[in-house]
Amino acid sequence: MDIENLINVFELESRSLDTMLRQHPLLRPMFLRDFRGVSPTMTRQAYLRLLKMSADYVQFTVPALRAAGDALRHGDAEDQAWSAMFLAYAAGETDEAADYGHHIWARDDIKAIDPDSELLHAPVHPHALLYGQYFIADVARHPYAILGAKGVLEHLSIRIADDLVRGIVDSGVANAERGTTFFHHHGVLDIDHVREGDRNLGKLTSARKRTEILEGAYFTSGSYRALIHYNLPT
């Protein structure tokens, strides 16, 4: 599989997830910015559940990148180059001032919208734990797979972030404008992340390693669908 085909997979999978989100009955009003017949309470709960879901899986991003970097540290020259790149990616996914992963942005957004205690303190969903296991505990089996997750999720972020932020701000939900840090920042940051990530893929020559990326992309899109299904049931 050549690099252009891999990037096309990122685009196709992110486009499919984008369509799923935009057509979801609970999220559609935010994307359309049309809240006729929709109570702010329903919109608020849907957005809070989306933030909680995001916090659940994004907490594994930095540990997964670091795990991949560590797994490749003693490999061939290509592995060692990517080891350094993965560790650099991990630094880029860490808040420089506060030294924490971006999932804290999502949790802070939840708190800003005054959630009920049950949602705020709910355990991480089992499907998010499986996502973390795939990219961290099982990293030795497919250390390059995290690039598939990175590709799909960053392409998705560019597609949805601006519309989602504008929608929740216009929704009438109290304090909504204070609860958009996670999606707003990713909508901005991931533009450069996608350009850099797609460019760096061109440095990867091994067909086997590219296959790991492909499998990671499909695993990620499937996990995201499962998380939406269980966190935002219709």
Side-chain angles (χ1 to χ4, degrees):
M1 167 169 285
D2 62 33
I3 295 302
E4 194 60 39
N5 285 340
L6 265 181
I7 294 172
N8 285 340
V9 168
F10 298 162
E11 277 291 301
L12 288 169
E13 292 303 303
S14 66
R15 188 182 307 149
S16 177
L17 294 177
D18 176 42
T19 299
M20 177 191 68
L21 292 174
R22 290 177 187 274
Q23 293 181 352
H24 192 286
L26 299 177
L27 301 176
R28 187 187 303 126
M30 280 181 272
F31 284 105
L32 295 178
R33 298 164 73 185
D34 181 357
F35 300 95
R36 290 173 294 181
V38 180
S39 72
T41 298
M42 182 179 296
T43 300
R44 173 178 168 275
Q45 286 300 319
Y47 185 62
L48 284 170
R49 286 172 179 265
L50 184 62
L51 284 171
K52 175 61 166 65
M53 184 198 92
S54 300
D56 278 2
Y57 75 80
V58 171
Q59 68 179 307
F60 297 115
T61 300
V62 171
L65 289 166
R66 288 176 178 162
D70 289 342
L72 296 172
R73 192 185 300 274
H74 302 296
D76 60 23
E78 183 174 65
D79 287 343
Q80 291 177 29
W82 275 97
S83 173
M85 209 173 303
F86 281 131
L87 296 176
Y89 283 154
E93 292 290 335
T94 304
D95 185 280
E96 294 181 3
D99 192 31
Y100 52 60
H102 293 177
H103 63 289
I104 298 298
W105 292 346
R107 291 192 61 81
D108 286 347
D109 285 348
I110 292 171
K111 295 173 185 177
I113 305 179
D114 192 25
D116 58 65
S117 178
E118 182 179 1
L119 182 140
L120 182 61
H121 299 295
V124 175
H125 193 277
H127 276 280
L129 293 175
L130 287 173
Y131 174 88
Q133 177 179 326
Y134 182 90
F135 290 110
I136 301 172
D138 298 337
V139 67
R141 294 169 52 194
H142 39 236
Y144 288 90
I146 189 60
L147 289 173
K150 190 172 186 296
V152 170
L153 294 174
E154 288 178 350
H155 280 72
L156 175 64
S157 176
I158 291 173
R159 291 179 176 276
I160 66 171
D162 287 349
D163 289 342
L164 193 53
V165 168
R166 285 194 295 264
I168 191 63
V169 168
D170 288 352
S171 68
V173 170
N175 298 320
E177 68 281 355
R178 294 171 49 209
T180 61
T181 302
F182 177 81
F183 288 109
H184 172 71
H185 282 0
H186 279 90
V188 174
L189 292 172
D190 286 341
I191 294 173
D192 286 337
H193 287 176
V194 163
R195 289 173 183 156
E196 179 187 12
D198 290 354
R199 183 173 62 250
N200 285 340
L201 283 178
K203 303 174 184 178
L204 190 63
T205 60
S206 166
R208 175 183 58 81
K209 295 169 186 177
R210 292 180 184 181
T211 298
E212 291 180 18
I213 299 172
L214 179 67
E215 292 170 354
Y218 288 139
F219 180 86
T220 298
S221 60
S223 296
Y224 196 98
R225 288 180 181 279
L227 286 168
I228 288 290
H229 174 75
Y230 288 108
N231 284 277
L232 286 159
T234 55

